[in-house]
Amino acid sequence: MNFRLGEFHAFSGGGRRFLYTVPSAGIFELDDTSAAVLARLSQGEATQEELLAAADAETIGELYQARIIATTEAFVDPPQPLPDNFPLQTMVMNLTNQCNLSCQYCYEFGEDKVATPEGKPKFMDFETASASVDYLFTQSAGRHGVHITFFGGETLMNFPLLKKVVDYAKQKAADQGRAIDFSLTTNATLLTPAIIEYLSANEIGVTVSMDGDKASHDKFRVFANGKGSYDIIEPRVRELIKEHKTRPIVARVTMTSQAMDVLGTYRHLKNDLGFHEIGFAPVTTSPNRLYSIDNRGLDSVLDQFGVLASEYLDHALRGEHHGFSNVSDTLAELHQGVNKSHPCGAALGLVGVGPSGDIAPCHRFVDSDTHTLGHVSTGIDKAKQNDFLSRGHIQVKTDCRTCFARPLCAGGCHHEAYVRYGDTGHPNLHYCDWIRGWTNICLEIYGAIAAQNPDFLRHFSDRKAAA
Amino acid sequence: MKHLRAVNHKARRIQEHIENDVVAMQGPPTPAGQRPHVPMGCSIVFSPGWEVDSSGGTAGLCQPVERDLYDCYISCYWPAQVPDHMNNYPDWTAKCAAATKDWRNIDLVFP
Ligand code: SF4
Ligand code: SF4
């Protein structure tokens, strides 16, 4: 019986040596003895006697128990069945599928849309909304807190319904002695002082879709007549950030081939406008669209992410907040050691509900006949849900089998996969280099914080990592 | 663990798992009522928890590995990788009162 290296990703941070164990997602720091064992095994397999020349039995035992080294006898993890019943935690409610902007890249209306809204209601009514809330509460039995995210279309085009839902859901939570919180995503065009006051008073978290300064933002985020929306939203966003005191205000940036200036965008949104956090995501598109980011573009984006990430690290070492949420989100997951069977909570702890009351795996699949899982009045069709979840399970994604990033990535967004490959369960192979590069950057930051300012990691202990 | 430092939550859970299992094997046995029922025997009777546990290690076995020794020595008719009690080596474990502590006293035999 020989020993060999187990599965892990080695990285360093703050001058120390760490391992990210895969797929368990543990992070361990090595000392000289354990590092010597790994150095020996990286030259090839070794017998126990040969290993004992490099280190004592105790070290070898520890490495073996933690599965950092393994024996050459093949061992296959038994497949894990899907949970029968996974309580809901989050419902994304599309209050309307109408929008007052016409962003060319939009996944709801753009060229790659999956939605088939023809003949369906354009605005959700209160009956459907209250049935959705009821559904959320019954299906989340056993959880104390639940969450509703309002979405669109443009969410604020149905603001009167939003207010009613908040009242109804709060009452329901109070009756059951449970907790509920709310957030919404908006393009900010319809914000008024009264709405802002309402959102702040009700502690509703706000994410603004915004792509950067005027030049970047107005490339795609335009009205139907082609006019950019920056000038309309800029004063509203400033007002929102100034007056909404109860929750952090987040900007969500969609990157395209024509807007890849991560650093400039971050500086503008953070320093000029004052957003608390800024998250970036590349546009979801089929590869032939003009705005799709090619590999060279992704490399440049990753470089810029790296610059912002090292700024984040400098802040963290001083114990200060930095608003680059792509880093903080990943660090939170690394800190917990999440090890995902599925890329996200879609169709597990999270569902999207369309204006008609149809249930979809998440907001991006809302109003798509192909992906409907059921209706709030009748519940989810288990067979459809199982089909969606079995396809999306990391164990069936053969391409991911040896990837060190799989505990976090798990193949990536189901919707992105559908747009690219026509199958929600296809791994998003066009992003792998990027995902692995990014995961490594975040691991190095995590390691450096763990070595030099471990107290900072406490911020992540209370934070909920994604389901 | 001395040569690995658990840094994130998951690593600490792995560490607890390893340490508790090892401690459990060295400590007093759990009262009978709280022990899960595990049939004894070897692969012939499909005993689980044999040789290696489901994670490929020995730490999580549902019985300590030393059990293996006695089951093969005393109760099994099958030629096993330990001396047999029935015919040739009736005193093989005479100096071993408690396997978890005294296993060093069990000597090699040369048939
Ligand atoms: S999609 Fe790519 S990066 Fe993600 S887990 Fe699979 S192989 Fe790794
Ligand atoms: S990652 Fe993709 S599939 Fe999952 S919730 Fe987000 S948009 Fe939906």
Side-chain angles (χ1 to χ4, degrees), chain A residues 217-298:
Chain A
H217 183 87
D218 284 351
K219 289 229 167 74
F220 290 100
R221 305 198 60 85
V222 296
F223 289 96
N225 61 8
K227 193 168 155 305
S229 59
Y230 184 89
D231 290 339
I232 303 283
I233 71 168
E234 193 235 28
R236 291 174 167 78
V237 163
R238 285 186 192 278
E239 170 97 1
L240 172 73
I241 294 168
K242 189 159 141 263
E243 300 300 331
H244 191 323
K245 301 247 162 38
T246 53
R247 294 277 290 267
I249 307 296
V250 181
R252 203 269 187 205
V253 180
T254 301
M255 290 179 294
T256 57
S257 60
Q258 285 142 69
M260 294 194 301
D261 176 13
V262 178
L263 289 171
T265 299
Y266 181 84
R267 304 256 183 271
H268 179 68
L269 297 176
K270 177 78 185 168
N271 304 340
D272 300 345
L273 295 181
F275 278 102
H276 302 116
E277 294 208 354
I278 293 105
F280 293 81
V283 66
T284 294
T285 152
S286 40
N288 50 349
R289 304 284 176 231
L290 282 178
Y291 42 84
S292 151
I293 303 181
D294 61 13
N295 283 339
R296 214 155 11 102
L298 281 175

Coordinates of all heavy atoms in Angstrom, one line a residue, chain A residues 217-298:
Chain A
H217 N -22.3 53.4 -18.2 CA -23.7 53.1 -17.8 C -24.6 53.2 -19.0 O -25.5 52.4 -19.3 CB -24.1 54.0 -16.7 CG -25.5 53.7 -16.2 ND1 -25.8 52.8 -15.2 CD2 -26.7 54.2 -16.6 CE1 -27.1 52.7 -15.0 NE2 -27.7 53.6 -15.8
D218 N -24.4 54.3 -19.8 CA -25.3 54.6 -20.9 C -25.1 53.7 -22.1 O -25.8 53.8 -23.1 CB -25.2 56.1 -21.2 CG -26.0 56.9 -20.2 OD1 -26.6 56.3 -19.3 OD2 -25.8 58.2 -20.2
K219 N -24.1 52.9 -22.1 CA -23.9 52.0 -23.3 C -25.1 51.1 -23.5 O -25.5 50.9 -24.6 CB -22.6 51.1 -23.1 CG -21.3 51.9 -23.2 CD -20.3 51.2 -24.1 CE -19.2 52.2 -24.5 NZ -18.3 52.4 -23.3
F220 N -25.5 50.5 -22.3 CA -26.6 49.5 -22.5 C -27.9 49.9 -21.7 O -29.0 49.5 -22.1 CB -26.1 48.2 -22.0 CG -25.2 47.5 -22.9 CD1 -23.8 47.6 -22.7 CD2 -25.6 47.0 -24.1 CE1 -22.9 47.0 -23.5 CE2 -24.7 46.4 -25.0 CZ -23.3 46.4 -24.7
R221 N -27.7 50.7 -20.6 CA -28.8 50.9 -19.8 C -29.6 52.2 -20.3 O -29.5 53.3 -19.7 CB -28.4 51.1 -18.3 CG -27.6 49.8 -17.8 CD -27.5 49.7 -16.3 NE -28.8 49.5 -15.7 CZ -29.5 48.4 -15.6 NH1 -29.0 47.3 -16.1 NH2 -30.7 48.4 -15.0
V222 N -30.4 51.9 -21.3 CA -31.1 53.0 -22.0 C -32.6 52.9 -22.0 O -33.1 51.8 -21.8 CB -30.6 53.0 -23.5 CG1 -29.1 53.3 -23.6 CG2 -30.9 51.7 -24.2
F223 N -33.2 54.0 -22.2 CA -34.7 54.0 -22.4 C -35.0 53.5 -23.8 O -34.1 53.4 -24.7 CB -35.3 55.4 -22.2 CG -35.2 55.8 -20.8 CD1 -34.2 56.6 -20.3 CD2 -36.2 55.5 -19.9 CE1 -34.1 57.0 -19.0 CE2 -36.2 55.9 -18.6 CZ -35.1 56.7 -18.1
A224 N -36.3 53.3 -24.1 CA -36.7 52.7 -25.4 C -36.2 53.6 -26.5 O -36.0 53.1 -27.6 CB -38.2 52.5 -25.4
N225 N -36.1 54.9 -26.3 CA -35.7 55.8 -27.4 C -34.2 55.8 -27.5 O -33.6 56.6 -28.3 CB -36.2 57.2 -27.1 CG -35.7 57.8 -25.8 OD1 -34.9 57.2 -25.2 ND2 -36.3 58.9 -25.5
G226 N -33.5 55.0 -26.7 CA -32.0 54.9 -26.9 C -31.3 55.9 -26.0 O -30.1 55.9 -25.9
K227 N -32.0 56.7 -25.3 CA -31.4 57.7 -24.4 C -30.9 57.0 -23.1 O -31.6 56.2 -22.5 CB -32.4 58.8 -24.0 CG -31.8 60.0 -23.4 CD -32.8 61.1 -23.4 CE -32.6 62.2 -22.3 NZ -32.5 61.7 -21.0
G228 N -29.7 57.3 -22.7 CA -29.1 56.7 -21.5 C -29.8 57.1 -20.3 O -30.5 58.2 -20.2
S229 N -29.7 56.3 -19.2 CA -30.5 56.5 -18.0 C -29.6 57.1 -16.9 O -30.1 57.4 -15.8 CB -31.2 55.3 -17.5 OG -30.2 54.3 -17.2
Y230 N -28.3 57.3 -17.2 CA -27.4 57.8 -16.1 C -27.9 59.1 -15.4 O -28.0 59.2 -14.2 CB -26.0 57.9 -16.6 CG -25.0 58.3 -15.5 CD1 -24.4 57.3 -14.7 CD2 -24.8 59.6 -15.2 CE1 -23.6 57.6 -13.7 CE2 -23.9 60.0 -14.1 CZ -23.3 59.0 -13.4 OH -22.5 59.3 -12.3
D231 N -28.2 60.1 -16.3 CA -28.5 61.4 -15.8 C -29.8 61.4 -14.9 O -30.0 62.2 -14.0 CB -28.7 62.4 -16.9 CG -27.4 62.7 -17.5 OD1 -26.3 62.5 -16.9 OD2 -27.3 63.2 -18.7
I232 N -30.7 60.5 -15.3 CA -32.0 60.4 -14.5 C -31.7 59.7 -13.1 O -32.2 60.2 -12.1 CB -33.0 59.4 -15.2 CG1 -33.3 60.0 -16.6 CG2 -34.2 59.2 -14.4 CD1 -34.2 61.1 -16.6
I233 N -30.9 58.7 -13.1 CA -30.7 58.0 -11.8 C -29.7 58.6 -10.9 O -29.8 58.4 -9.7 CB -30.4 56.5 -12.0 CG1 -29.0 56.2 -12.6 CG2 -31.4 55.8 -12.9 CD1 -28.6 54.8 -12.5
E234 N -28.7 59.3 -11.5 CA -27.6 59.8 -10.6 C -28.1 60.6 -9.4 O -27.8 60.2 -8.2 CB -26.6 60.6 -11.4 CG -25.4 60.9 -10.7 CD -25.0 62.4 -10.6 OE1 -25.9 63.2 -10.7 OE2 -23.8 62.7 -10.6
P235 N -29.0 61.6 -9.5 CA -29.4 62.3 -8.3 C -30.3 61.4 -7.4 O -30.2 61.5 -6.2 CB -30.3 63.5 -8.9 CG -30.6 63.1 -10.3 CD -29.5 62.2 -10.8
R236 N -31.0 60.5 -8.0 CA -31.9 59.6 -7.2 C -31.0 58.6 -6.4 O -31.3 58.4 -5.2 CB -32.8 58.8 -8.1 CG -33.9 59.7 -8.7 CD -34.7 58.9 -9.7 NE -35.9 59.7 -10.1 CZ -35.9 60.7 -11.0 NH1 -34.8 61.1 -11.6 NH2 -37.0 61.4 -11.2
V237 N -29.9 58.2 -7.0 CA -29.0 57.3 -6.2 C -28.4 58.0 -5.1 O -28.3 57.5 -4.0 CB -28.0 56.7 -7.2 CG1 -26.8 56.1 -6.5 CG2 -28.6 55.6 -8.1
R238 N -28.0 59.2 -5.4 CA -27.3 60.0 -4.3 C -28.3 60.2 -3.1 O -27.9 60.1 -2.0 CB -26.9 61.4 -4.8 CG -25.6 61.3 -5.7 CD -25.1 62.7 -6.1 NE -24.1 62.6 -7.1 CZ -22.8 62.4 -6.9 NH1 -22.4 62.2 -5.6 NH2 -22.0 62.3 -7.9
E239 N -29.5 60.5 -3.5 CA -30.5 60.7 -2.4 C -30.7 59.4 -1.6 O -30.8 59.4 -0.4 CB -31.8 61.2 -3.1 CG -33.1 61.2 -2.3 CD -33.4 62.6 -1.7 OE1 -32.6 63.5 -2.1 OE2 -34.3 62.7 -1.0
L240 N -30.8 58.3 -2.4 CA -31.1 57.0 -1.8 C -29.9 56.7 -0.8 O -30.2 56.3 0.4 CB -31.1 55.9 -2.8 CG -31.1 54.5 -2.3 CD1 -32.5 54.1 -1.8 CD2 -30.8 53.5 -3.5
I241 N -28.7 56.9 -1.2 CA -27.6 56.6 -0.3 C -27.5 57.5 0.9 O -27.2 57.1 2.0 CB -26.3 56.6 -1.1 CG1 -26.2 55.5 -2.2 CG2 -25.0 56.5 -0.2 CD1 -25.2 55.6 -3.2
K242 N -28.0 58.7 0.7 CA -28.0 59.7 1.8 C -29.1 59.4 2.8 O -28.9 59.4 4.0 CB -28.1 61.1 1.2 CG -27.9 62.2 2.2 CD -27.6 63.5 1.5 CE -28.3 64.7 2.2 NZ -29.6 65.1 1.6
E243 N -30.3 59.1 2.3 CA -31.4 59.0 3.2 C -31.7 57.6 3.7 O -32.4 57.4 4.7 CB -32.7 59.5 2.5 CG -32.6 61.0 2.0 CD -32.3 61.9 3.2 OE1 -32.8 61.6 4.3 OE2 -31.7 63.0 3.0
H244 N -31.3 56.5 3.0 CA -31.6 55.2 3.4 C -30.6 54.7 4.4 O -29.4 54.4 4.0 CB -31.7 54.2 2.2 CG -32.2 52.9 2.5 ND1 -32.0 52.2 3.7 CD2 -33.0 52.0 1.8 CE1 -32.6 51.0 3.7 NE2 -33.3 50.9 2.5
K245 N -30.9 54.7 5.7 CA -29.9 54.5 6.7 C -29.9 53.1 7.3 O -29.0 52.8 8.0 CB -30.2 55.5 7.9 CG -30.2 57.0 7.4 CD -29.0 57.7 8.1 CE -28.7 59.0 7.4 NZ -29.8 59.8 6.9
T246 N -30.9 52.3 7.0 CA -31.0 51.1 7.8 C -30.3 49.9 7.2 O -30.1 48.9 7.9 CB -32.5 50.8 8.0 OG1 -33.1 50.8 6.7 CG2 -33.2 51.8 8.8
R247 N -30.0 49.9 5.9 CA -29.4 48.8 5.3 C -28.3 49.3 4.3 O -28.4 50.4 3.8 CB -30.4 47.9 4.4 CG -31.5 47.3 5.2 CD -31.0 45.9 5.9 NE -30.9 44.9 4.9 CZ -31.8 44.0 4.5 NH1 -33.0 44.1 5.0 NH2 -31.5 43.1 3.6
P248 N -27.2 48.5 4.1 CA -26.2 48.9 3.1 C -26.8 49.0 1.7 O -27.6 48.2 1.4 CB -25.1 47.8 3.2 CG -25.5 46.9 4.3 CD -26.9 47.2 4.7
I249 N -26.4 50.0 0.9 CA -26.9 50.1 -0.4 C -25.8 49.5 -1.4 O -24.7 49.9 -1.3 CB -27.2 51.6 -0.8 CG1 -28.1 52.2 0.3 CG2 -27.8 51.7 -2.2 CD1 -29.4 51.6 0.4
V250 N -26.3 48.6 -2.2 CA -25.4 47.9 -3.1 C -25.5 48.2 -4.5 O -26.7 48.4 -5.0 CB -25.6 46.3 -2.9 CG1 -24.7 45.5 -3.7 CG2 -25.6 46.0 -1.4
A251 N -24.4 48.3 -5.3 CA -24.5 48.5 -6.7 C -24.2 47.1 -7.3 O -23.3 46.4 -6.9 CB -23.5 49.5 -7.2
R252 N -24.9 46.8 -8.4 CA -24.6 45.6 -9.1 C -24.3 45.9 -10.5 O -25.1 46.5 -11.3 CB -25.9 44.7 -9.0 CG -25.7 43.3 -9.1 CD -25.9 42.9 -10.5 NE -25.8 41.5 -10.7 CZ -25.5 41.0 -11.9 NH1 -25.1 41.7 -12.9 NH2 -25.5 39.7 -12.0
V253 N -23.1 45.6 -10.9 CA -22.5 46.0 -12.2 C -22.5 44.8 -13.2 O -22.1 43.7 -12.8 CB -21.1 46.5 -12.0 CG1 -20.5 46.9 -13.4 CG2 -21.0 47.6 -11.0
T254 N -23.1 45.0 -14.3 CA -23.0 44.0 -15.4 C -21.9 44.4 -16.3 O -21.9 45.5 -16.9 CB -24.3 43.9 -16.2 OG1 -25.4 43.6 -15.2 CG2 -24.3 42.9 -17.2
M255 N -20.9 43.5 -16.4 CA -19.7 43.9 -17.3 C -20.0 43.3 -18.7 O -20.5 42.2 -18.9 CB -18.5 43.2 -16.7 CG -18.0 43.9 -15.4 SD -16.5 43.1 -14.8 CE -17.2 41.5 -14.4
T256 N -19.6 44.1 -19.7 CA -19.7 43.7 -21.0 C -18.4 44.0 -21.7 O -17.5 44.6 -21.1 CB -20.8 44.5 -21.8 OG1 -20.4 45.9 -21.6 CG2 -22.2 44.3 -21.2
S257 N -18.3 43.5 -23.0 CA -17.0 43.8 -23.7 C -16.8 45.3 -23.8 O -15.7 45.7 -24.0 CB -17.1 43.2 -25.1 OG -18.2 43.7 -25.8
Q258 N -17.8 46.1 -23.7 CA -17.6 47.5 -23.8 C -17.6 48.2 -22.5 O -17.5 49.5 -22.5 CB -18.8 48.1 -24.7 CG -18.6 47.8 -26.2 CD -19.9 47.5 -26.8 OE1 -20.7 48.4 -27.0 NE2 -20.1 46.2 -27.2
A259 N -17.7 47.5 -21.4 CA -17.6 48.1 -20.1 C -16.8 47.2 -19.2 O -17.4 46.4 -18.5 CB -18.9 48.5 -19.6
M260 N -15.5 47.2 -19.3 CA -14.7 46.3 -18.5 C -13.7 47.0 -17.6 O -12.8 46.4 -17.1 CB -13.9 45.3 -19.5 CG -14.8 44.4 -20.3 SD -13.8 43.1 -21.0 CE -12.7 44.0 -22.0
D261 N -14.0 48.3 -17.4 CA -13.1 49.0 -16.6 C -13.5 48.9 -15.1 O -14.2 49.7 -14.6 CB -13.1 50.5 -17.0 CG -12.2 51.4 -16.1 OD1 -11.5 50.8 -15.3 OD2 -12.4 52.6 -16.1
V262 N -13.1 47.8 -14.5 CA -13.5 47.4 -13.2 C -13.0 48.5 -12.2 O -13.8 49.0 -11.4 CB -12.9 46.1 -12.7 CG1 -13.3 45.7 -11.3 CG2 -13.4 45.0 -13.7
L263 N -11.8 48.9 -12.3 CA -11.2 49.8 -11.3 C -11.9 51.2 -11.4 O -12.4 51.7 -10.4 CB -9.7 50.0 -11.5 CG -8.9 48.8 -11.2 CD1 -7.4 49.0 -11.6 CD2 -8.9 48.6 -9.7
G264 N -12.1 51.7 -12.6 CA -12.7 53.0 -12.8 C -14.2 53.0 -12.3 O -14.6 53.9 -11.6
T265 N -14.9 51.9 -12.6 CA -16.3 51.7 -12.2 C -16.4 51.7 -10.7 O -17.2 52.3 -10.1 CB -16.8 50.4 -12.8 OG1 -16.8 50.6 -14.3 CG2 -18.3 50.2 -12.4
Y266 N -15.5 50.9 -10.1 CA -15.5 50.7 -8.6 C -15.3 52.1 -8.0 O -16.0 52.5 -7.1 CB -14.4 49.8 -8.2 CG -14.5 49.6 -6.7 CD1 -15.4 48.7 -6.1 CD2 -13.7 50.4 -5.8 CE1 -15.4 48.6 -4.7 CE2 -13.7 50.3 -4.5 CZ -14.6 49.4 -3.9 OH -14.6 49.3 -2.5
R267 N -14.3 52.8 -8.5 CA -13.9 54.1 -7.8 C -15.1 55.1 -8.0 O -15.5 55.8 -7.0 CB -12.7 54.8 -8.5 CG -11.5 53.9 -8.5 CD -10.5 54.4 -7.5 NE -9.3 53.5 -7.6 CZ -9.1 52.4 -6.9 NH1 -10.0 51.9 -6.1 NH2 -8.0 51.7 -7.1
H268 N -15.7 55.1 -9.2 CA -16.9 56.0 -9.4 C -18.0 55.6 -8.4 O -18.6 56.5 -7.7 CB -17.4 55.9 -10.8 CG -18.5 56.8 -11.1 ND1 -18.4 58.2 -11.0 CD2 -19.8 56.5 -11.3 CE1 -19.6 58.7 -11.3 NE2 -20.5 57.7 -11.5
L269 N -18.4 54.3 -8.4 CA -19.6 54.0 -7.6 C -19.3 54.1 -6.1 O -20.2 54.5 -5.3 CB -20.0 52.5 -8.0 CG -20.5 52.3 -9.4 CD1 -20.8 50.9 -9.7 CD2 -21.7 53.2 -9.7
K270 N -18.1 53.8 -5.7 CA -17.8 53.8 -4.3 C -17.4 55.2 -3.8 O -18.0 55.7 -2.9 CB -16.6 52.8 -4.0 CG -16.1 52.8 -2.6 CD -17.0 52.0 -1.7 CE -16.5 52.1 -0.3 NZ -17.5 51.5 0.7
N271 N -16.5 55.8 -4.5 CA -16.0 57.1 -4.0 C -16.9 58.3 -4.4 O -17.2 59.2 -3.6 CB -14.6 57.4 -4.4 CG -13.7 56.2 -4.0 OD1 -14.0 55.5 -3.1 ND2 -12.5 56.1 -4.6
D272 N -17.3 58.3 -5.7 CA -18.1 59.5 -6.1 C -19.5 59.4 -5.7 O -20.1 60.4 -5.2 CB -18.0 59.6 -7.7 CG -16.6 59.8 -8.2 OD1 -15.7 60.1 -7.3 OD2 -16.4 59.6 -9.4
L273 N -20.1 58.2 -5.8 CA -21.5 58.1 -5.5 C -21.8 57.6 -4.0 O -22.8 58.0 -3.4 CB -22.3 57.2 -6.4 CG -22.3 57.7 -7.9 CD1 -23.1 56.7 -8.7 CD2 -23.0 59.0 -8.0
G274 N -20.9 56.8 -3.5 CA -21.0 56.5 -2.1 C -21.7 55.1 -1.8 O -22.1 54.9 -0.7
F275 N -21.8 54.2 -2.8 CA -22.4 52.9 -2.5 C -21.5 52.2 -1.4 O -20.3 52.4 -1.3 CB -22.3 52.1 -3.8 CG -23.5 52.3 -4.7 CD1 -23.3 53.1 -5.8 CD2 -24.7 51.8 -4.5 CE1 -24.4 53.3 -6.7 CE2 -25.8 52.0 -5.3 CZ -25.6 52.8 -6.4
H276 N -22.2 51.4 -0.6 CA -21.5 50.7 0.4 C -20.8 49.5 -0.1 O -19.7 49.1 0.3 CB -22.4 50.2 1.5 CG -23.2 51.3 2.2 ND1 -24.5 51.5 2.1 CD2 -22.7 52.4 2.9 CE1 -24.9 52.6 2.7 NE2 -23.8 53.2 3.2
E277 N -21.4 48.8 -1.0 CA -20.8 47.6 -1.6 C -21.0 47.6 -3.1 O -22.1 48.1 -3.6 CB -21.4 46.3 -1.0 CG -21.1 46.2 0.4 CD -21.0 44.7 0.8 OE1 -21.4 43.8 0.0 OE2 -20.7 44.5 2.0
I278 N -20.1 47.1 -3.9 CA -20.2 47.0 -5.3 C -19.9 45.6 -5.7 O -18.8 45.0 -5.4 CB -19.3 48.0 -6.0 CG1 -19.8 49.4 -5.7 CG2 -19.3 47.8 -7.5 CD1 -19.0 50.2 -4.8
G279 N -20.8 44.9 -6.4 CA -20.6 43.6 -6.9 C -20.6 43.6 -8.5 O -21.4 44.3 -9.1
F280 N -19.7 42.8 -9.0 CA -19.5 42.8 -10.5 C -19.9 41.4 -11.0 O -19.5 40.4 -10.4 CB -18.1 43.0 -10.9 CG -17.6 44.4 -10.6 CD1 -17.2 44.7 -9.4 CD2 -17.6 45.3 -11.6 CE1 -16.7 46.0 -9.1 CE2 -17.1 46.6 -11.4 CZ -16.7 47.0 -10.1
A281 N -20.6 41.3 -12.1 CA -20.8 40.0 -12.8 C -20.7 40.2 -14.3 O -21.2 41.2 -14.8 CB -22.1 39.4 -12.4
P282 N -20.1 39.3 -15.0 CA -20.0 39.4 -16.4 C -21.4 39.1 -17.0 O -22.2 38.4 -16.4 CB -19.1 38.3 -16.9 CG -18.5 37.7 -15.6 CD -19.4 38.1 -14.5
V283 N -21.8 39.8 -18.1 CA -23.1 39.6 -18.7 C -23.3 38.2 -19.1 O -22.4 37.5 -19.5 CB -23.2 40.5 -20.0 CG1 -22.3 40.1 -21.1 CG2 -24.6 40.6 -20.5
T284 N -24.5 37.7 -19.0 CA -24.9 36.4 -19.4 C -25.4 36.4 -20.8 O -26.3 37.2 -21.2 CB -26.0 35.8 -18.5 OG1 -25.5 35.6 -17.2 CG2 -26.5 34.5 -19.1
T285 N -24.7 35.7 -21.7 CA -25.0 35.9 -23.1 C -24.5 34.7 -23.9 O -23.6 34.0 -23.4 CB -24.4 37.1 -23.7 OG1 -24.1 37.0 -25.1 CG2 -23.1 37.4 -23.0
S286 N -25.0 34.5 -25.1 CA -24.4 33.5 -25.9 C -23.1 34.2 -26.5 O -23.0 35.4 -26.5 CB -25.3 33.0 -27.0 OG -26.1 34.1 -27.5
P287 N -22.1 33.4 -26.8 CA -20.8 33.9 -27.1 C -20.7 34.8 -28.3 O -19.8 35.6 -28.4 CB -19.9 32.7 -27.3 CG -20.8 31.6 -27.6 CD -22.1 31.9 -26.9
N288 N -21.7 34.7 -29.2 CA -21.6 35.5 -30.4 C -22.1 36.9 -30.3 O -22.0 37.7 -31.3 CB -22.3 34.7 -31.6 CG -23.7 34.4 -31.2 OD1 -24.0 34.5 -30.0 ND2 -24.5 33.9 -32.1
R289 N -22.6 37.3 -29.2 CA -23.1 38.7 -29.1 C -21.9 39.6 -29.0 O -20.9 39.3 -28.4 CB -23.9 38.8 -27.8 CG -25.1 37.9 -27.7 CD -26.2 38.3 -28.6 NE -27.3 37.3 -28.5 CZ -27.9 36.7 -29.5 NH1 -27.5 37.0 -30.8 NH2 -28.8 35.8 -29.4
L290 N -22.1 40.8 -29.5 CA -21.0 41.8 -29.6 C -20.6 42.2 -28.2 O -19.4 42.5 -27.9 CB -21.5 43.1 -30.3 CG -21.5 42.9 -31.8 CD1 -22.1 44.2 -32.5 CD2 -20.1 42.6 -32.3
Y291 N -21.5 42.2 -27.2 CA -21.2 42.6 -25.9 C -20.6 41.5 -25.0 O -20.2 41.7 -23.9 CB -22.4 43.3 -25.2 CG -23.7 42.5 -25.3 CD1 -24.0 41.5 -24.5 CD2 -24.6 42.9 -26.3 CE1 -25.2 40.8 -24.7 CE2 -25.8 42.3 -26.5 CZ -26.1 41.2 -25.7 OH -27.3 40.5 -25.9
S292 N -20.6 40.3 -25.6 CA -20.0 39.2 -24.8 C -18.5 39.4 -24.6 O -17.8 39.8 -25.5 CB -20.3 37.9 -25.6 OG -19.3 36.9 -25.4
I293 N -18.0 39.0 -23.4 CA -16.6 39.2 -23.1 C -15.8 38.0 -23.5 O -16.1 36.9 -23.1 CB -16.4 39.5 -21.6 CG1 -17.3 40.6 -21.1 CG2 -15.0 39.7 -21.2 CD1 -17.2 41.0 -19.7
D294 N -14.8 38.2 -24.3 CA -14.0 37.0 -24.7 C -12.9 36.7 -23.7 O -12.8 37.4 -22.7 CB -13.4 37.3 -26.1 CG -12.5 38.5 -26.1 OD1 -12.1 38.9 -25.0 OD2 -12.1 38.9 -27.2
N295 N -12.1 35.7 -24.0 CA -11.1 35.2 -23.0 C -10.1 36.3 -22.7 O -9.7 36.5 -21.5 CB -10.4 34.0 -23.5 CG -11.3 32.8 -23.4 OD1 -12.2 32.8 -22.6 ND2 -11.0 31.8 -24.2
R296 N -9.7 37.1 -23.7 CA -8.7 38.1 -23.4 C -9.4 39.2 -22.4 O -8.7 39.6 -21.5 CB -8.2 38.8 -24.7 CG -6.8 39.2 -24.5 CD -6.0 39.2 -25.8 NE -6.8 39.2 -27.0 CZ -7.2 40.3 -27.8 NH1 -6.8 41.5 -27.4 NH2 -7.8 40.1 -28.9
G297 N -10.6 39.5 -22.7 CA -11.3 40.4 -21.9 C -11.4 39.9 -20.4 O -11.2 40.6 -19.5
L298 N -11.7 38.6 -20.3 CA -11.8 38.0 -18.9 C -10.5 38.1 -18.2 O -10.5 38.4 -17.0 CB -12.3 36.6 -19.0 CG -13.8 36.4 -19.3 CD1 -14.1 34.9 -19.5 CD2 -14.6 36.9 -18.1

